[in-house]
Structures are given as C-alpha cells and as structure tokens.
Amino acid sequence: QVQLVESGGGLVQPGGSLRLSCAASGSISSINGMGWYRQPPGKQRELVASITSGGSTNYADSVKGRFTISISRDNAKNTVSLQMNSLKPEDTAVYYCHADIRTYISPYREHYWGQGTQVTVSS
C-alpha cells in the first residue's frame, strides 16, 4: 500500500508565501513523477505543477515564475514540495498531491492522490 501525506496549507495574505509538502511512502519500487493539482471552489481540478523522477518540471501558466516544485528522497520517503510565492486570491483552492508510481505489488503504473490541503489567500 502507498500513502501520500500532505502538509503546509493555511491562510495567507495576498503577496505572501506558503510551502506545501507531500511525503509518499509504502511499497514503492519507483516513481515516474509527482505533482500538485488544485480545485478552486466551484471549479474542476487542474494541474498546478509536476516533476518527473529525472527532474523535468511543468507548470500551469498562471503560476509560472511564482511557484517552484521540487522532489527529494530521504530513507524510505519520497517528498514533493511546492514553494508558492507572491500568492494571489485566485490561488485559493484545495491542493492535492499526486504520484505516478510503480509498486512492488503490481507491474503496472498506478496513480495515487493525497487527501487535499486548503490554501486560502485573503486579506
């Protein structure tokens, strides 16, 4: 089994910063990539940023130059982080961690989601 545990959401004023982290653990044999999606109120979930195991990154146009995604490995945990700077009210959403992985149990690629963390940008 695989677990994704998110942390770092909260309330911040416009122009402020937040850092989200997501730790993936469990029966992971390899990671193809990890990323962050968000779902604003009343809207569909959208990609914010993603990163491959090789370090290639992809960002939504709305966050380019403000958000930075990174990935690290420490012992049995793979952690993807999202540094969010110059936050705007329109960044308000529930942010979800995503992992594209292979496990020791199945030969197929599998997709896992975190439980979601609320980010609210408001004065």
Side-chain angles (χ1 to χ4, degrees):
Q1 193 58 280
V2 175
Q3 298 83 36
L4 299 183
V5 179
E6 302 164 349
S7 61
L11 172 65
V12 64
Q13 293 186 343
S17 298
L18 280 176
R19 185 176 180 87
L20 305 182
S21 293
C22 172
S25 61
S27 303
I28 300 172
S29 63
S30 65
I31 291 183
N32 300 306
M34 297 185 74
W36 289 93
Y37 288 71
R38 67 186 180 188
Q39 187 165 13
K43 297 184 179 180
Q44 292 188 338
R45 191 174 298 188
E46 61 184 11
L47 173 69
V48 177
S50 63
I51 185 167
T52 68
S53 57
S56 296
T57 59
N58 182 42
Y59 294 93
D61 288 342
S62 59
V63 307
K64 283 180 181 177
R66 300 188 297 122
F67 290 11
T68 302
I69 191 170
S70 59
I71 192 168
S72 63
R73 179 177 174 86
D74 180 16
N75 293 326
K77 286 188 178 180
N78 297 275
T79 301
V80 63
S81 298
L82 186 68
Q83 178 66 41
M84 305 186 294
N85 299 327
S86 302
L87 283 161
K88 304 176 181 180
E90 51 263 43
D91 294 318
T92 295
V94 178
Y95 284 69
Y96 295 91
C97 175
H98 169 260
D100 175 3
I101 65 172
R102 292 186 191 275
T103 70
Y104 292 111
I105 300 172
S106 169
Y108 304 109
R109 292 172 67 169
E110 298 181 31
H111 297 267
Y112 287 84
W113 294 90
Q115 77 280 8
T117 185
Q118 178 69 46
V119 171
T120 301
V121 184
S122 175
S123 55

